[in-house]
Amino acid sequence: MRIRSLRKARGWSLDNLAERAGISPSQLSRIETGHRRISLDQLTAISAALGKSLDELVESPDDSDVVIRPDRDETRGVTTWLLTRDNGPQGLTVAKMRLTDQAGGVTPDDLGVHPGRDWFTVLSGTVVLYLGERVIRVETGQAASFSTMTPHAMRSDRGPAEVLVILDHNGERSHLRT
């Protein structure tokens, strides 16, 4: 979007910038719309054509590339800070979660399953892990790892709890994108 706005600010058409940068107009169009990843060679050519440094071209207009803001889900009693962006190492997602939904009253409908494994460590408070027929207390400083094909759910016990979770792609989709 930054490339498009700089191009338009100069009054250039897509064809004008593409010619100056030595790339095809269709490639430039896909780059501007986010439908194609930009290579370093293309980025360098576009920045030179626009008369901008690479830093100026890729810097974030705000602090969203630095500050991680919480995502609150009041109905589930969960606040999440997504610590990795665009799939972390080896396709894993790392997040901090604050659980305020209290243990108790968990029904079989509350338990989810999905392929893969989940891992979490409790940073503060106590988490009640419902794992199939088992109810397991995981306290501050302890960690848990389990197959997610076993029906499972997590709740806080007697007050908020904070956990650091590592999820594979299926876990991320199930736990963070509900």
Side-chain angles (χ1 to χ4, degrees), residues 46 68 132:
I46 292 169
I68 299 169

Side-chain angles (χ1 to χ4, degrees), residues 80-159:
T80 304
W81 291 262
L82 193 56
L83 303 177
T84 52
R85 300 177 194 268
D86 302 326
N87 285 331
Q90 301 169 353
L92 299 175
T93 298
V94 179
K96 177 184 171 191
M97 298 174 82
R98 181 176 173 87
L99 309 172
T100 56
D101 196 12
Q102 298 290 311
V106 172
T107 69
D109 290 340
D110 296 325
L111 303 178
V113 296
H114 55 85
R117 290 193 71 78
D118 282 357
W119 177 93
F120 71 89
T121 186
V122 180
L123 302 173
S124 66
T126 301
V127 170
V128 177
L129 172 62
Y130 296 89
L131 195 57
E133 307 257 332
R134 299 164 56 191
V135 178
I136 304 164
R137 289 174 49 86
V138 186
E139 299 187 14
T140 300
Q142 295 180 328
S145 175
F146 53 92
S147 167
T148 54
M149 289 306 290
T150 304
H152 60 282
M154 293 188 317
R155 300 290 189 266
S156 64
D157 185 34
R158 291 181 246 153

Side-chain angles (χ1 to χ4, degrees), residues 22-33:
I23 61 176
S24 74
S26 63
Q27 280 183 321
L28 180 58
S29 175
R30 288 192 303 271
I31 289 168
E32 285 186 353
T33 59

Side-chain angles (χ1 to χ4, degrees), residues 87 90-93 114-115 167-174 177:
N87 285 331
Q90 301 169 353
L92 299 175
T93 298
H114 55 85
L167 307 167
D168 63 12
H169 178 70
N170 293 312
E172 176 194 3
R173 188 175 48 218
S174 296
R177 298 183 184 182

